[in-house]
Amino acid sequence: MTSRTTQICVHFSFPFLLPGFEAPLPAGEYRVDYDEETIESAFRLAWRRVGGFVHLPAIGAAGSFHQMVPVEPAHLAAALEKDRQLS
């Protein structure tokens, strides 16, 4: 089985809360790394997300430390959808 990591940027217009965080994260743009693995298929190459990491703090935000925090892809997708509904 082959694996890869892809990086995207996501934007939140409003503060948001992810499971495992005690306080909401501020609105802004965040880098996210997704770990993916191939799905066996005879017809085409497909990838499945198996994990993710959000980079803190947000892009352009002041901060003395940088960290990558694990996040479930489904939780991040739900937070992004909620943010879109508030817009």
Side-chain angles (χ1 to χ4, degrees):
M1 187 172 301
T2 305
S3 63
R4 70 179 183 185
T5 300
T6 59
Q7 187 175 86
I8 65 168
C9 290
V10 296
H11 178 79
F12 286 92
S13 299
F14 302 95
F16 63 102
L17 185 61
L18 292 171
F21 289 82
E22 294 180 10
L25 296 168
E29 195 164 346
Y30 291 84
R31 281 191 306 271
V32 177
D33 292 344
Y34 284 119
D35 292 335
E36 302 171 322
E37 61 185 21
T38 55
I39 298 172
E40 298 297 328
S41 172
F43 302 107
R44 64 183 177 111
L45 182 62
W47 297 89
R48 173 181 52 187
R49 289 184 176 160
V50 294
F53 295 89
V54 64
H55 293 252
L56 300 177
I59 296 171
S64 59
F65 68 94
H66 295 277
Q67 61 182 335
M68 290 175 48
V69 180
V71 62
E72 286 292 325
H75 293 158
L76 185 59
L80 285 165
E81 181 59 30
K82 183 177 180 181
D83 188 76
R84 282 189 204 103
Q85 291 174 355
L86 293 173
S87 296

